[in-house]
């Protein structure tokens, strides 16, 4: 298991998103199962079940309530001003924008909303991967023109070179933390070679093994801070996390694993004030959560009649039904 900060764009280990690409573009558009909400913080926000692109972009991209678009539209329909409706949906402070990459991301998010409005759809309605790619490319080209006195890029290579330069100057706010739960390779191989029923059973065991250490982190390692220099560590109303199950590695071999995106937006338990998750305790709990996941997964397999066998000097564990 690994833990890393989400600095306005999330990473699958060392994979960065391209400028303007949103979290939802990566986690939700590759044919994987829909994400699922997790944590007491998610429950307090009225979140359950499937994670939508609009919810991800609102929470992790803008620091707003995940259902901000729907809430804002309902308030405006009731006569509330757009400014007041926007203020209501903010979870205290919006994430600051430091770079052109952040600006591009905001423009892409707005382009998605504009597309849905133009087609008489809810602003947060899902958009196909092909259309999202086209809209994102259009925003990138326009940003290039704005930076070059109206002159467009000569081919894709020039655009990509300019985008790479934007990434090199990236400095962004931390919108959350990514925890990746990955079982031993033998589990992924067993899952890939199993029939439909056994494959779902193995996936369920991995899901349960990921949920348990996340609950542990929520109960024992998730805090926020109070004071002029954050000298007081205080409790919070749980975490808000989006869980995504992925099935392969970047090399396209079987790699069953779960990404848990934990929002940095948390609510203090004593006064209900929205503030920031203390990342120090989250990082400190990484090894504990990782060992918890490994041990819990092996126990779950044993309960189902599988055994674990150590293999030679390589230290590779395999599962063998008994």
């Amino acid at each position: 298991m690994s833990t890393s900060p989400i600095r306005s764009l999330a990473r699958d280990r060392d994979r960065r998103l391209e400028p303007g690409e949103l979290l939802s573009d990566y986690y939700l558009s590759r044919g994987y199962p829909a994400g699922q909400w997790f944590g007491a913080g998610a429950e307090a926000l009225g979140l359950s079940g499937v994670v939508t692109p609009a919810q991800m972009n609102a929470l992790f991209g803008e620091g707003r309530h995940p259902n901000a678009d729907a809430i804002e539209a309902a308030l405006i329909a009731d006569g509330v001003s757009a400014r007041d409706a926007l203020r209501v949906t903010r979870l205290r402070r919006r994430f600051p924008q430091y770079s052109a990459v952040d600006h591009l991301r905001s423009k892409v998010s707005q382009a998605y909303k504009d597309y849905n409005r133009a087609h008489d759809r809810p602003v947060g309605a899902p958009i196909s991967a092909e259309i999202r790619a086209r809209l994102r490319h259009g925003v990138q080209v326009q940003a290039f023109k704005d930076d070059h006195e109206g002159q467009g890029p000569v081919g894709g290579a020039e655009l990509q070179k300019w985008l790479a330069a934007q990434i090199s100057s990236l400095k962004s706010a931390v919108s959350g933390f990514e925890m990746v739960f990955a079982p031993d390779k033998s589990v992924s191989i067993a899952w890939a070679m199993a029939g439909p029923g056994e494959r779902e059973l193995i996936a369920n065991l991995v899901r349960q093994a990921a949920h348990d250490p996340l609950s542990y982190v929520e109960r024992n390692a998730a805090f926020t801070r109070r004071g002029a220099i954050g000298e007081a560590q205080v409790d919070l109303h749980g975490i808000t996390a989006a869980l995504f199950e992925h099935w392969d590695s970047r090399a396209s071999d079987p790699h069953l694993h779960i990404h848990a995106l934990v929002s940095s937006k948390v609510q203090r338990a004593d006064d209900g004030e929205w503030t920031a998750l203390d990342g120090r305790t989250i990082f400190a709990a990484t090894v504990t959560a990782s060992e918890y996941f490994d041990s819990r997964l092996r126990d779950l397999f044993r309960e189902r009649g599988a055994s674990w066998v150590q293999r030679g000097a390589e230290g590779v564990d395999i599962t063998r039904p008994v």
Side-chain angles (χ1 to χ4, degrees):
M1 192 205 80
S2 65
T3 303
S4 61
I6 308 171
R7 297 187 179 277
S8 82
L9 38 90
R11 286 181 265 180
D12 180 355
R13 303 292 167 81
D14 60 358
R15 187 233 190 241
R16 284 181 177 269
L17 303 181
E18 67 177 67
E21 187 179 9
L22 306 181
L23 287 174
S24 57
D25 293 327
Y26 173 58
Y27 287 101
L28 299 174
S29 63
R30 299 180 61 188
Y32 296 125
Q36 298 290 318
W37 288 109
F38 176 91
E43 293 178 6
L45 289 169
L47 304 172
S48 63
V50 172
V51 179
T52 69
Q55 289 175 329
M56 282 196 72
N57 297 337
L59 179 61
F60 292 100
E62 301 174 346
R64 302 168 68 201
H65 190 292
N67 295 327
D69 291 335
I71 295 172
E72 187 176 349
L75 289 173
I76 292 175
D78 288 339
V80 178
S81 69
R83 180 176 181 178
D84 288 341
L86 176 63
R87 178 177 52 80
V88 168
T89 63
R90 285 181 177 171
L91 304 181
R92 200 178 181 186
R93 296 188 182 94
R94 184 168 181 162
F95 295 126
Q97 295 182 344
Y98 296 111
S99 69
V101 175
D102 295 303
H103 184 65
L104 274 171
R105 188 168 298 105
S106 295
K107 289 288 189 181
V108 170
S109 179
Q110 188 60 49
Y112 292 169
K113 296 175 184 178
D114 291 343
Y115 174 86
N116 279 331
R117 290 191 182 101
H119 291 80
D120 296 322
R121 291 151 45 96
V123 291
I127 301 174
S128 70
E130 293 77 13
I131 293 177
R132 293 200 305 191
R134 175 167 55 82
L135 294 172
R136 188 165 63 250
H137 179 73
V139 170
Q140 292 169 346
V141 170
Q142 185 58 53
F144 182 97
K145 291 180 178 179
D146 293 342
D147 196 43
H148 293 80
E149 299 181 349
Q151 183 68 39
V154 181
E158 186 177 11
L159 177 62
Q160 291 303 315
K161 181 179 179 180
W162 179 78
L163 292 173
Q166 308 311 303
I167 292 178
S168 67
S169 63
L170 179 65
K171 177 187 175 185
S172 306
V174 175
S175 62
F177 300 87
E178 180 187 55
M179 306 178 78
V180 182
F181 296 92
D184 292 324
K185 191 65 173 181
S186 56
V187 173
S188 292
I189 294 174
W191 168 84
M193 297 179 66
E198 291 180 339
R199 186 177 300 158
E200 184 62 17
L201 172 60
I202 293 172
N204 280 332
L205 296 182
V206 173
R207 293 165 193 152
Q208 183 61 52
H211 285 189
D212 291 346
L214 271 176
S215 295
Y216 173 86
V217 168
E218 181 175 49
R219 294 191 307 268
N220 299 282
F223 300 95
T224 185
R225 307 194 73 83
R226 173 189 279 119
I229 57 174
E231 65 272 17
Q233 190 177 69
V234 297
D235 291 329
L236 47 83
H237 281 308
I239 61 173
T240 302
L243 274 55
F244 298 92
E245 180 180 312
H246 286 185
W247 299 332
D248 55 7
S249 69
R250 291 187 297 276
S252 298
D253 62 318
H255 182 48
L256 178 62
H257 60 288
I258 294 176
H259 296 266
L261 307 186
V262 182
S263 173
S264 65
K265 291 290 187 179
V266 293
Q267 198 173 23
R268 282 200 296 254
D270 54 1
D271 60 8
E273 185 74 17
W274 284 97
T275 181
L277 181 66
D278 187 353
R280 292 173 293 184
T281 54
I282 297 296
F283 280 113
T286 297
V287 174
T288 300
S290 179
E291 294 298 324
Y292 192 151
F293 170 75
D294 291 339
S295 298
R296 182 62 175 139
L297 183 62
R298 287 170 181 150
D299 286 344
L300 289 170
F301 268 89
R302 289 189 185 102
E303 291 171 5
R304 291 287 182 170
S307 65
W308 295 84
V309 179
Q310 191 79 14
R311 296 196 62 189
E314 296 88 0
V316 178
D317 289 337
I318 64 170
T319 55
R320 177 169 54 84
V322 294

